[in-house]
Amino acid sequence: MQRFRASVIREWPIVALLALFGIVYGSARNAYGMFGWDEAEYASIGRSALHGHGFAISGKPNALRPPILPLAGAASMLLAGNHFHDSTLRLTSCGFALLALLCVYGFATAAFDRTTGLVAAVLLGIMPFFWTFVPHFLSEIPFMAFFAAAVWCFYFGAYRDERFFLWSWICWALGFLTRYTASVFLPVIVVFLVIALWRGGPDTRRRLMSRTFFLSPLAGLLILLPWLIREYVTFGDALAGLRQASRQLQVYWPGVSMPWHFYLDRLPIMLSPAISGLLVVGVVWAVWKGGDFALHTVLAGVVILVWFSCYRYKEDRLVSSALPFMAVIAAIVLTKAAARLRPRWRVAALGGVLAGLFIWHFLVVRPVFEQRFTLGYPSFLAAMEFLREHATPGAVVLGANYPQIHWYSGLRAINFPEAKKLPEALRNSEWVVI
């Protein structure tokens, strides 16, 4: 009991920090007015799973969306007493955001110290992209936590204790069941292995040749197995969702092509100019003077950026999994710069800088929450209220945005078919939403 109390006292800064961010993020749970298409899909699957109807949208089994986020949403709705409100699910996203901050704190603390861990958690939490994305019921935030944990556990497995390999593959499996872009884990660990075999000592090579290293992927496979069986039984292909996801970027907006440096141009907007500046300095330091953890963290972020820069279509959220790594590198610069100050002055200096960044970023994100709304809000919600009041139970609604129609009306919704099939679809529908 005394040890537990001592641990709580020692970790009170991160507890207080998580409480602060929980309040900040929770205050924005009603942002954007309503769910977008993807959010409505995840929400609908969660409600369907809660009712025992499987991973389906409007009664149709869905192969694309992995199960972690819908299941978390279903658990939130269950705990809230079957209240199918957007704010309930957005609190789920808030919980995943705090998990991501805790993950960054834990690994940065293990690699450096608690000060670096706290600074890294704050920097991630106030990044404009991260801050404004928390209210979205989407997979990017939880994926950050699982993917970063998988990468860093693999590093610790190679350089400290081979038992981390087991946790690495468990976290990877959870990341894969959250977002199929977890496949980028493979090139990351290939780079890690090359460096470990090149620069690592005898102990590192022994860990890479250990039984734990070769058997740990089986733990990830066991976690994936129920989902793969479901995919095979339902669609005849255990990798149906992965195949569908792998084709999305190739076929999405075929007439649009972004330049290779798109993500480099976007970093000051996603991170803020100040954190981007710290990141640049941190990358230079990690390459020339940094230890193995800093260098591997930089390489993980670089692999993610390079991987998704090779696609024709680019979007900020595709590389969001690199943000935890960038937060740690930027934090190293701040803590190294204040390292020679006396403890009290160091705390005051870091606290002042972080408080200033928090206020600056708050002024940046506040207009986003106040002025940005999902397309269709609020008239679409009024239309769905009309349907709930006037449509007969079990009515079929035809509409282009059928996931949103299904989520907000509770009725079965189907998509507009090709022109030759439209007459039949109209005969089988009672309502049309245009």
Side-chain angles (χ1 to χ4, degrees):
M1 191 64 179
Q2 292 180 347
R3 183 179 300 179
F4 175 76
R5 290 177 179 176
S7 178
V8 171
I9 294 174
R10 187 171 61 251
E11 299 295 346
W12 74 263
I14 185 59
V15 174
L17 184 66
L18 293 178
L20 172 63
F21 276 110
I23 295 172
V24 170
Y25 295 151
S27 65
R29 64 184 181 277
N30 294 316
Y32 309 123
M34 67 182 197
F35 283 160
W37 178 297
D38 292 357
E39 294 172 285
E41 285 198 357
Y42 284 117
S44 297
I45 294 172
R47 183 172 60 188
S48 176
L50 182 60
H51 289 164
H53 300 150
F55 290 87
I57 301 174
S58 191
K60 183 180 180 180
N62 182 273
L64 177 62
R65 305 299 179 184
I68 291 293
L69 186 60
L71 288 178
S76 298
M77 290 184 280
L78 179 62
L79 292 174
N82 288 345
H83 290 296
F84 309 118
H85 297 305
D86 295 358
S87 59
T88 301
L89 298 178
R90 283 178 170 151
L91 287 177
T92 306
S93 299
C94 177
F96 279 123
L98 299 182
L99 177 63
L101 300 185
L102 183 61
C103 172
V104 166
Y105 166 79
F107 284 100
T109 297
F112 299 102
D113 51 49
R114 287 189 178 85
T115 302
T116 305
L118 285 169
V119 173
V122 172
L123 293 181
L124 176 62
I126 65 174
M127 286 180 181
F129 178 91
F130 189 92
W131 196 338
T132 57
F133 217 81
V134 171
H136 289 295
F137 187 62
L138 291 169
S139 60
E140 279 74 14
I141 297 294
F143 181 71
M144 286 186 204
F146 296 133
F147 187 80
V151 170
W152 281 325
C153 280
F154 194 90
Y155 168 85
F156 282 117
Y159 292 94
R160 293 197 181 181
D161 190 331
E162 59 264 25
R163 287 177 292 184
F164 278 101
F165 287 129
L166 175 64
W167 290 107
S168 175
W169 286 102
I170 290 174
C171 291
W172 172 80
L174 294 174
F176 187 88
L177 294 176
T178 303
R179 190 169 177 83
Y180 288 125
T181 48
S183 54
V184 76
F185 182 65
L186 179 59
V188 170
I189 64 173
V190 167
V191 172
F192 279 21
L193 288 173
V194 170
I195 295 178
L197 293 174
W198 172 38
R199 297 179 51 174
D203 290 339
T204 298
R205 295 188 180 91
R206 176 185 57 79
R207 296 185 191 100
L208 296 178
M209 293 294 110
S210 67
R211 180 183 302 178
T212 304
F213 174 81
F214 290 102
L215 294 181
S216 292
L218 296 178
L221 180 60
L222 288 175
I223 294 175
L224 295 181
L225 194 58
W227 179 250
L228 298 180
I229 292 174
R230 180 264 177 184
E231 294 279 271
Y232 180 79
V233 171
T234 307
F235 304 103
D237 182 0
L239 300 177
L242 178 62
R243 297 185 199 281
Q244 187 175 344
S246 65
R247 294 191 296 266
Q248 279 191 312
L249 291 183
Q250 282 84 352
V251 302
Y252 190 65
W253 282 13
V256 176
S257 180
M258 285 80 164
W260 66 268
H261 51 82
F262 175 85
Y263 291 123
L264 295 179
D265 297 340
R266 294 292 299 173
L267 283 181
I269 299 174
M270 297 176 65
L271 278 62
S272 85
I275 297 179
S276 297
L278 293 173
L279 175 64
V280 172
V281 176
V283 169
V284 174
W285 176 84
V287 172
W288 290 102
K289 295 183 178 180
D292 286 333
F293 183 84
L295 178 61
H296 283 71
T297 299
V298 167
L299 290 174
V302 169
V303 169
I304 294 170
L305 292 177
V306 171
W307 180 274
F308 288 103
S309 293
C310 294
Y311 287 96
R312 169 190 54 79
Y313 176 80
K314 300 174 178 65
E315 189 177 348
D316 291 352
R317 63 178 182 160
L318 296 177
V319 297
S320 59
S321 55
L323 297 188
F325 306 111
M326 296 178 181
V328 171
I329 296 302
I332 294 172
V333 177
L334 281 180
T335 53
K336 291 290 183 182
R340 295 184 179 181
L341 298 176
R342 294 181 178 180
R344 290 184 178 180
W345 287 106
R346 182 166 63 249
V347 171
L350 291 175
V353 171
L354 295 178
L357 288 175
F358 181 93
I359 295 172
W360 175 17
H361 291 189
F362 172 76
L363 296 176
V364 171
V365 303
R366 185 175 63 176
V368 175
F369 291 137
E370 293 178 348
Q371 302 172 15
R372 185 179 299 175
F373 298 97
T374 302
L375 186 64
Y377 176 83
S379 58
F380 178 78
L381 294 183
M384 295 303 101
E385 183 179 359
F386 179 90
L387 278 179
R388 290 195 300 269
E389 293 176 354
H390 295 86
T392 58
V396 178
V397 183
L398 186 65
N401 57 336
Y402 66 96
Q404 292 169 297
I405 296 172
H406 174 64
W407 170 249
Y408 285 108
S409 71
L411 301 172
R412 185 188 172 199
I414 58 176
N415 194 12
F416 278 112
E418 298 177 357
K420 61 181 180 181
K421 297 181 180 180
L422 182 57
E424 181 182 358
L426 289 171
R427 285 193 297 269
N428 295 328
S429 306
E430 298 181 39
W431 296 88
V432 176
V433 177
I434 300 177

